[in-house]
Amino acid sequence: MADQSVRMVTAIVLHSVFFLSGASASADCYKTRHLFITAPKEMEALTGSCLQIPCNFRLKQGEKLNSKTTPFGVWIKNSPYFGKNGSVVIFNSSGTVSTYPMSFTGDLSQKNCTTLFSSLNTTYTDTYYFRVENRPFLATAECDGLQITVKDSPPKPRIEISGDVKEKESVSISCSASTPCPHSPPQLTWNLQPDSHHTMEENTDRTFTTRIQKSITLSHEHDGFIISCSARYPVNEGKDVKTSEERKTLSVSYAPKNTSVSISPSCWVSAGSRVILTCSSRAKPPVSRFTWFKTSRDAPIKVSEGDFYSFNVTDGGVYYCVATNQLGDQTSSEIHLTIGDAPKNTSVSISPSGRVSAGSRVNLTCSSRAKPPVSRFTWFKTSRDAPIKVSEGDFYSFNVTDGGVYYCVATNQLGDQTSSEVHLTIEGDQLVGAQVIVTVLGIILLVTTLVIFACWLKSRRCTKPQEDAEEDIYVNMVAIRRKRKL
Ligand SMILES: *[C@@H]1O[C@H](CO)[C@@H](O)[C@H](O)[C@H]1NC(C)=O
Ligand SMILES: *[C@@H]1O[C@H](CO)[C@@H](O)[C@H](O)[C@H]1NC(C)=O
Ligand SMILES: *[C@@H]1O[C@H](CO)[C@@H](O)[C@H](O)[C@H]1NC(C)=O
Ligand SMILES: *[C@@H]1O[C@H](CO)[C@@H](O)[C@H](O)[C@H]1NC(C)=O
Ligand SMILES: *[C@@H]1O[C@H](CO)[C@@H](O)[C@H](O)[C@H]1NC(C)=O
Ligand SMILES: *[C@@H]1O[C@H](CO)[C@@H](O)[C@H](O)[C@H]1NC(C)=O
Ligand SMILES: *[C@@H]1O[C@H](CO)[C@@H](O)[C@H](O)[C@H]1NC(C)=O
Ligand SMILES: *[C@@H]1O[C@H](CO)[C@@H](O)[C@H](O)[C@H]1NC(C)=O
Ligand SMILES: *[C@@H]1O[C@H](CO)[C@@H](O)[C@H](O)[C@H]1NC(C)=O
């Protein structure tokens, strides 16, 4: 029972080791292992550039290098079992094979197999195996395949922000780019200050990273700022460059800003009416609490909570709000609420008073009582259709051309009032009117007289009917004579 579970554990361990190795070699390479290397399992490189492979090796316990001869290092691609399954020796430090542009920069006798792989192109993408030949020791690190991927475009740099991303905090921002070829590292530039510190550092796996770094003290204005960093990799012996870019948006938390109160309908209110005070603020994270205060002789009195405060006004007062989030609070400026009145006793005075002659100047003055004072006076003249707006301002002066009916409207923040109408009458019009009446009266008088006279003649003619025609002519003649006399 116990034996079985031990075997199972062994199987699981073997299985996971096999997975970690990432190599295509079968599990039995572990049984016959003589050579081990310490190198990254996967590496990425750029076409036209180089790749430095950090590498060290060790032999199976009990094995030794022959110090009398120079060890040769060999790189084999595709499969560790060279000569089979498509494996190809692509480099032999003896000088017999250099199909690919490689060289050992490390000292093999010191078990340093560090290799420089230069003038890379995408066809070099493959799995590579290291072999040592130092007769009688001959071994391939068959379980330690190195996957090399050569790409035409460089990897993106990485932007990192360390620390608490809040206003007033100092954070370190860095942009780093992998540096497979430390001999021609990428040039990093970004949109933070250009005097950033440029460094190349070795990672724990002895690969390299190029980095620029900057410490900044954050303010709320940095929120939403987009950091963009670009890496320019020299390729083809520095004749060209390949560029990649990364962007990152700064998200900075800050206490409330621009806290302000707005009032509806206005700072002037009529007693008993409803007002709405609204508090607005910018904060990240958003404002979690709005508190309303009314000032008093002693301490301010808390009157409400919430982003708006609506109430019926009984008296004036000074109000403000406080916006709060996790990072702090901010007090708005004060708002003064004053009880006022809409315009009252709006009236028009006219100068000169009474009748005016056509073409003369007339002054109309509008007066009104209001709190706050009237902000606008508007003059209207009535017409058959709608009233016509004729002027603005408390004083309206114009040359009269015809009569008419005028009034003014006084307006302040709390309302408006219309005055009573004033009638403007022209003297000349009255004179013409009298002449017409006199003429009409004269004609009526004449006609009446003629009719009475005619009736008197008719009553006489009843006794002498045969003289009718003569009489009619006579009457007409008399009528004409009378008219002339008039
Ligand atoms: C060669 O490849 C074949 C299948 O492609 C496989 O069965 C065989 O085990 C491989 N041989 C070695 C030595 O890896
Ligand atoms: C590497 O070169 C040496 C010397 O020429 C040779 O003996 C050896 O077989 C070569 N190894 C491979 C794997 O080709
Ligand atoms: C191996 O050789 C490389 C290239 O000469 C060198 O930079 C590195 O420090 C050496 N590594 C060790 C562990 O000695
Ligand atoms: C890539 O390298 C191979 C082998 O060295 C060579 O045949 C090929 O022309 C190269 N390709 C390019 C695009 O340089
Ligand atoms: C917010 O307040 C700042 C000063 O604190 C001011 O410069 C800015 O114009 C204000 N923004 C708005 C939208 O009112
Ligand atoms: C507040 O005033 C409005 C009208 O402006 C009125 O309808 C309402 O009843 C009033 N509320 C109180 C509590 O007085
Ligand atoms: C103003 O008008 C009110 C009525 O709206 C009236 O009682 C008051 O006497 C008027 N005051 C003046 C000075 O005309
Ligand atoms: C009308 O006003 C003007 C200017 O204010 C003044 O000169 C003129 O005497 C006034 N006319 C009358 C009839 O009041
Ligand atoms: C208005 O009338 C006055 C005299 O009453 C005259 O001096 C002035 O020229 C007139 N203005 C216009 C524009 O008719």
Side-chain angles (χ1 to χ4, degrees):
M1 189 67 185
D3 186 45
Q4 246 186 8
S5 59
V6 168
R7 242 182 278 153
M8 250 177 71
V9 169
T10 314
I12 290 165
V13 168
L14 269 180
H15 187 76
S16 47
V17 166
F18 176 58
F19 257 94
L20 280 174
S21 83
S24 58
S26 64
D28 61 21
C29 77
Y30 288 93
K31 292 184 198 154
T32 59
R33 254 181 124 177
H34 292 271
L35 181 63
F36 308 83
I37 65 166
T38 308
K41 289 204 168 356
E42 289 175 0
M43 296 191 86
E44 205 177 289
L46 179 62
T47 308
S49 185
C50 81
L51 172 67
Q52 177 167 299
I53 305 163
C55 178
N56 283 89
F57 65 90
R58 70 193 161 82
L59 313 182
K60 188 180 175 183
Q61 216 160 16
E63 307 258 23
K64 260 193 185 159
L65 284 182
N66 176 355
S67 55
K68 294 196 187 83
T69 59
T70 314
F72 296 142
V74 174
W75 283 104
I76 304 164
K77 73 165 196 170
N78 187 275
S79 159
Y81 308 107
F82 69 93
K84 292 184 199 162
N85 284 16
S87 86
V88 182
V89 173
I90 44 90
F91 186 74
N92 187 334
S93 71
S94 70
T96 52
V97 188
S98 55
T99 314
Y100 282 6
M102 298 173 114
S103 67
F104 286 100
T105 55
D107 182 353
L108 289 167
S109 59
Q110 297 300 311
K111 301 200 177 82
N112 186 338
C113 50
T114 299
T115 302
L116 187 67
F117 198 166
S118 47
S119 307
L120 295 169
N121 85 33
T122 52
T123 62
Y124 298 164
T125 296
D126 218 317
T127 306
Y128 291 80
Y129 296 89
F130 175 68
R131 177 174 172 83
V132 170
E133 301 203 340
N134 185 226
R135 285 178 194 280
F137 183 82
L138 299 170
T140 304
E142 49 204 43
C143 300
D144 301 329
L146 164 60
Q147 173 63 46
I148 293 175
T149 307
V150 182
K151 290 188 173 172
D152 276 331
S153 53
K156 280 186 173 187
R158 214 168 53 239
I159 297 169
E160 282 167 309
I161 300 156
S162 71
D164 216 357
V165 193
K166 289 179 188 170
E167 64 177 342
K168 295 175 190 151
E169 295 282 335
S170 175
V171 292
S172 170
I173 301 175
S174 77
C175 174
S176 56
S178 80
T179 307
C181 183
H183 306 280
S184 43
Q187 183 71 34
L188 292 172
T189 50
W190 61 6
N191 59 347
L192 298 176
Q193 289 91 332
D195 59 338
S196 312
H197 197 45
H198 223 116
T199 56
M200 186 163 74
E201 54 204 48
E202 195 171 346
N203 305 310
T204 51
D205 65 356
R206 291 192 282 126
T207 58
F208 289 86
T209 299
T210 305
R211 184 186 304 275
I212 47 175
Q213 202 153 339
K214 185 89 202 165
S215 275
I216 59 170
T217 302
L218 296 173
S219 90
H220 69 98
E221 277 155 13
H222 288 109
D223 183 49
F225 180 80
I226 297 165
I227 302 167
S228 99
C229 181
S230 72
R232 289 159 56 85
Y233 287 84
V235 293
N236 305 331
E237 278 91 43
K239 288 201 284 284
D240 302 308
V241 289
K242 294 198 171 185
T243 305
S244 64
E245 194 191 67
E246 177 69 324
R247 288 158 172 274
K248 192 164 190 166
T249 304
L250 265 179
S251 175
V252 181
S253 307
Y254 52 89
K257 303 275 176 269
N258 296 78
T259 306
S260 66
V261 176
S262 64
I263 183 161
S264 169
S266 91
C267 290
W268 289 92
V269 288
S270 340
S273 72
R274 196 159 195 82
V275 293
I276 300 170
L277 303 183
T278 308
C279 190
S280 65
S281 186
R282 219 156 41 80
K284 193 168 187 170
V287 170
S288 53
R289 196 171 70 242
F290 289 101
T291 322
W292 291 94
F293 293 92
K294 182 179 184 179
T295 62
S296 81
R297 206 162 316 159
D298 312 316
I301 300 157
K302 180 177 158 183
V303 288
S304 183
E305 275 195 9
D307 61 345
F308 72 91
Y309 172 37
S310 165
F311 60 103
N312 283 8
V313 180
T314 51
D315 54 0
V318 177
Y319 294 84
Y320 63 88
C321 72
V322 176
T324 310
N325 75 353
Q326 285 101 302
L327 279 87
D329 55 42
Q330 194 184 39
T331 301
S332 73
S333 57
E334 294 176 340
I335 196 146
H336 294 252
L337 207 61
T338 316
I339 303 281
D341 285 309
K344 283 193 299 195
N345 304 78
T346 305
S347 63
V348 175
S349 64
I350 180 164
S351 169
S353 54
R355 293 193 178 108
V356 290
S357 53
S360 71
R361 201 155 190 82
V362 165
N363 295 341
L364 300 181
T365 308
C366 188
S367 67
S368 183
R369 286 198 303 128
K371 188 179 169 190
V374 170
S375 54
R376 195 172 74 241
F377 289 99
T378 321
W379 292 95
F380 291 92
K381 181 179 184 181
T382 60
S383 81
R384 204 165 312 161
D385 311 315
I388 299 155
K389 179 177 160 186
V390 288
S391 183
E392 277 194 8
D394 61 340
F395 182 70
Y396 174 35
S397 175
F398 59 103
N399 281 6
V400 179
T401 51
D402 54 357
V405 176
Y406 293 85
Y407 64 87
C408 75
V409 176
T411 309
N412 75 355
Q413 280 98 313
L414 293 174
D416 55 43
Q417 194 185 37
T418 302
S419 73
S420 56
E421 294 174 342
V422 292
H423 294 254
L424 201 60
T425 321
I426 305 273
E427 257 167 11
D429 283 355
Q430 208 125 24
L431 200 67
V432 172
Q435 278 170 346
V436 170
I437 290 165
V438 167
T439 309
V440 169
L441 280 177
I443 289 166
I444 290 169
L445 191 65
L446 172 65
V447 171
T448 313
T449 313
L450 286 177
V451 169
I452 293 167
F453 187 64
C455 280
W456 175 73
L457 283 178
K458 260 199 182 142
S459 65
R460 275 189 34 180
R461 190 185 54 186
C462 292
T463 50
K464 278 189 186 166
Q466 65 271 36
E467 290 169 29
D468 252 349
E470 238 184 53
E471 284 278 337
D472 274 351
I473 291 163
Y474 177 72
V475 167
N476 284 345
M477 275 174 68
V478 169
I480 287 163
R481 241 180 260 139
R482 278 185 71 97
K483 203 172 177 182
R484 279 193 188 141
K485 257 189 211 163
L486 253 167

